Amino acid sequence: MSDFNELAERYIATWNETDPAARRAGIEAVYTADATYTDPLVVAEGHDAIDATIAAVQAQFPGLVFRLGGGVDAHHDIARFTWELGPQDGEALVVGFDVAVRAEEGRIKAVHGFLDKVPAGA
């Protein structure tokens, strides 16, 4: 997993996985055990908290999917990328960007998320 493009795609896939067992397996493959995910709304530390965060977002936005909003910009062990959340073939309702820090073994050890577009009441 040395390629950040592949890692970002796998990261997005964990946010789209609705089967709890498959989502957890994806989280364990993409994140280190002590990984953190932080955005303006949540701080999640470790696989359990990251899994719960993803499940909560899926419950809040049922049927919507995450997708990369462009290319992945990376250097050293840090990458940034824009993502979108919306209907499969429709306009994004939520837009943000994440900065991911990769551990030496190739998994994500930290994500710093930013929200650029959020619907009212979300």
Side-chain angles (χ1 to χ4, degrees):
M1 279 198 316
S2 62
D3 179 51
F4 251 126
N5 290 312
E6 176 194 353
L7 187 57
E9 289 172 7
R10 293 177 68 198
Y11 166 80
I12 292 295
T14 64
W15 285 86
N16 286 326
E17 182 56 65
T18 56
D19 177 80
R23 182 178 58 239
R24 183 56 181 247
I27 288 168
E28 291 176 2
V30 170
Y31 298 87
T32 61
D34 61 345
T36 59
Y37 173 86
T38 307
D39 72 20
L41 305 174
V42 68
V43 175
E45 298 176 357
H47 291 161
D48 289 343
I50 292 169
D51 194 6
T53 298
I54 293 172
V57 170
Q58 290 175 351
Q60 184 176 5
F61 298 102
L64 301 183
V65 294
F66 284 90
R67 59 187 169 257
L68 287 174
V72 177
D73 183 23
H75 64 81
H76 297 87
D77 287 324
I78 303 168
R80 66 178 176 165
F81 49 89
T82 300
W83 52 262
E84 301 174 343
L85 175 65
Q88 184 70 37
D89 295 319
E91 182 180 340
L93 302 175
V94 183
V95 177
F97 82 89
D98 289 349
V99 176
V101 181
R102 185 176 54 193
E104 285 186 23
E105 87 271 0
R107 292 185 293 163
I108 293 173
K109 66 179 177 180
V111 175
H112 308 281
F114 297 84
L115 302 174
D116 297 322
K117 175 183 172 185
V118 180

